[in-house]
Amino acid sequence: MVSIDAEHTVTHVCCIGAGYVGGPTSAVMAHKCPNIQFTVVDTDAKRIHAWNSDRLPVYEPGLDLLVQMQRNRNLHFSTDIDEAICNAQIVMIAVNTPSMQGTHSKQGAQADLRQVEACARRVAQCAQHNTIVVEKSTVPCSTGDIVARILREHARPHVEFSVLANPEFLSEGTAVRDLLHPDRVIIGGADADDRAQQALASVYAHWVPRDRIITMGRWSAELAKLASNAMLAQRVSSINSLSAVCEATGADVQQVARACGLDSRIGAEFLRASVGFGGSCFSKDVASLVWLSASLGLPDVAEYWDNVLKMNDSHMQRFTQRIVSAFDLGVRGIKIAVWGFAFKSGTGDARNTPAARICQMLLDQGAQLAIYDPMVPESQVREKLDAGKDGSYVVCADAVTAAVDAQAIVVLTPWPEFRSTNWHIVFDVMERPARVFDGHNVLDRQMLEHIGFVVTTVGVRNGVV
């Protein structure tokens, strides 16, 4: 297999895919490995142009500065994929693996690996020397076997490949911090890939302590990523399910979550009730795990994880119904200000955002929406909502403008600016009674009620008036 075993022999790394994973990962690696050249390539010329401009296509705190420091030194963005592959000892594949259209069912959704397979074929056709191929994309078990087979079938004579699974564990909004200070780096390979694993480990060892760099089997590494996201999604659905119990009994979900989180066996992370999880990973990865379990003949396991997705969806419906039920005649013709559209704060990503689902349900009920998000552009908002409802919503430039003449504010992303907003001004521009539906329990409820707002929060029974 590939015999790169000293860090000094790794001089060039190519990353195929200039998206949310490939760009930040390569920027941090370039910053920490000044003697290695990193080239990020993509077929999307507009995206590459953006990476080479002052307006990056990905928003992450701290990313702009890193790219500015390293770009055109040892960090490059290019559409010349073939040349980058030829020069690299390590090629990272960081392309999208969305749920395959038409496979959504009670048995989950199969990951679409066509982009990964296309990358493998291109690497095989272009590589002129032994090369380490690294899966950065989130993939189901056995994808590495598929990639290895494609490489063997299309490789040039005397060129060998090692295929490693090196899943990313990034959280959008904190991706740079997660890359600089990872909890762990997992490198999975076949039995014969020990030298390749050590070569990749030597790159990370420039800044990651060796005891946090863990080598394991390739299937285990592939499953570890799905399992991690599934367990995090499970915690979100668990606390949200308990929020429904709290709303029915008079308990306070924040107090319940605090009591549970103080148990060292449980911990406090991901025990914050909200409108539900979204983004490009959780739903897709849980659906992929459901599909994998069903395909392995494990229907009970598939059903268990599918219920995590069902709870997430039903929770969004329940939250929306609380809004509708607050008005005697429903929300038809009612102006509602929607604050936040990104799936979480700290990012401009609106992929699979709960806000789109909730907004669409409100629009279907006849509501008039005024939407504001500090990072999500209007074009993305319009992409996510039914084009037939264009006349029923507007996208505003600031939060106060969205609130003018509104009868309610619905907070769907916990941006810090919402907590520090001048709520007296907001109250003055709204209709009466002025309602606030806090979908993330991020606001100061007592302060809002003192001003005169009618406040509804997640997991508190007396929220709806």
Side-chain angles (χ1 to χ4, degrees), residues 23-24 26-28 30-32 51 53-56 58-75 77 176 180:
S26 299
V28 170
H31 176 62
K32 290 297 185 178
W51 279 109
S53 73
D54 293 331
R55 187 163 186 156
L56 304 185
V58 172
Y59 171 74
E60 281 290 337
L63 182 59
D64 281 3
L65 181 60
L66 278 181
V67 172
Q68 289 173 13
M69 287 192 303
Q70 305 305 140
R71 191 169 54 200
N72 299 324
R73 294 182 179 178
N74 69 326
L75 177 63
F77 299 94
V176 172
L180 289 171

Side-chain angles (χ1 to χ4, degrees), residues 82-349:
D82 295 353
E83 181 181 7
I85 293 172
C86 287
N87 292 335
Q89 291 91 28
I90 297 176
V91 176
M92 301 188 297
I93 298 177
V95 295
N96 288 336
T97 54
S99 296
M100 187 174 290
Q101 295 298 316
T103 64
H104 290 267
S105 68
K106 292 182 178 180
Q107 295 185 326
Q110 184 177 4
D112 188 344
L113 300 178
R114 285 177 291 183
Q115 291 190 58
V116 172
E117 293 170 357
C119 288
R121 284 190 291 272
R122 193 151 187 176
V123 171
Q125 293 162 359
C126 295
Q128 299 181 12
H129 49 73
N130 294 351
T131 303
I132 299 171
V133 178
V134 180
E135 301 170 344
K136 293 297 292 183
S137 303
T138 302
V139 295
C141 291
S142 80
T143 301
D145 296 348
I146 296 171
V147 171
R149 174 180 54 78
I150 292 173
L151 292 170
R152 286 194 305 270
E153 291 175 351
H154 297 274
R156 294 168 180 259
H158 310 300
V159 175
E160 294 184 345
F161 297 94
S162 285
V163 178
L164 304 179
N166 176 219
E168 52 83 15
F169 295 97
L170 309 182
S171 178
E172 288 191 43
T174 59
V176 172
R177 185 184 69 193
D178 296 339
L179 287 161
L180 289 171
H181 309 286
D183 293 329
R184 76 289 202 201
V185 172
I186 291 177
I187 303 174
D191 291 340
D193 290 330
D194 180 65
R195 284 189 171 185
Q197 288 176 300
Q198 294 308 313
L200 182 57
S202 73
V203 175
Y204 281 107
H206 281 77
W207 78 98
V208 180
R210 281 284 185 174
D211 61 357
R212 293 190 183 183
I213 303 174
I214 304 169
T215 58
M216 61 180 64
R218 194 164 60 207
W219 276 47
S220 297
E222 291 170 339
L223 183 56
K225 169 63 176 178
L226 294 180
S228 294
N229 277 349
M231 289 184 178
L232 292 174
Q234 178 195 49
R235 285 175 71 92
V236 176
S237 282
S238 293
I239 195 64
N240 282 340
S241 72
L242 291 172
S243 75
V245 178
C246 290
E247 290 161 15
T249 61
D252 185 327
V253 74
Q254 294 187 76
Q255 296 176 3
V256 173
R258 182 169 182 267
C260 293
L262 289 173
D263 188 326
S264 60
R265 297 168 301 174
I266 299 173
E269 293 298 319
F270 281 79
L271 287 184
R272 191 178 186 90
S274 66
V275 293
F277 58 78
S280 63
C281 294
F282 280 10
S283 293
K284 174 179 71 73
D285 291 352
V286 175
S288 180
L289 183 57
V290 172
W291 178 86
L292 175 64
S293 301
S295 68
L296 294 172
L298 303 170
D300 292 345
V301 177
E303 182 180 6
Y304 176 86
W305 289 110
D306 191 46
N307 283 330
V308 172
L309 298 176
K310 289 179 179 177
M311 176 55 62
N312 193 52
D313 187 65
S314 67
H315 183 67
M316 294 182 207
Q317 294 181 49
R318 188 173 66 253
F319 180 78
T320 305
Q321 189 55 46
R322 294 185 81 192
I323 299 171
V324 175
S325 299
F327 298 89
D328 292 337
L329 300 178
V331 295
R332 183 168 299 280
I334 299 294
K335 180 180 178 181
I336 297 174
V338 174
W339 286 11
F341 201 81
F343 84 92
K344 62 182 290 187
S345 59
T347 178
D349 192 356

Side-chain angles (χ1 to χ4, degrees), residues 445-458:
R445 177 172 183 156
Q446 287 186 332
M447 179 267 290
L448 293 179
E449 290 179 337
H450 180 74
I451 292 172
F453 287 99
V454 178
V455 183
T456 297
T457 57
V458 177

Side-chain angles (χ1 to χ4, degrees), residues 13-18 21-23 26 39-42 90-94:
V13 175
C14 166
C15 179
I16 305 177
V21 174
S26 299
T39 303
V40 183
V41 294
D42 203 295
I90 297 176
V91 176
M92 301 188 297
I93 298 177

Side-chain angles (χ1 to χ4, degrees), residues 43 60 80 165 175 187 194 205 295 315 345 348 364 369 379 383 421 431 447 449 459 462:
T43 57
E60 281 290 337
D80 194 340
I187 303 174
D194 180 65
S295 68
H315 183 67
S345 59
D364 291 342
L369 304 184
S379 59
E383 282 177 11
T421 294
E431 296 288 324
M447 179 267 290
E449 290 179 337
N462 61 351

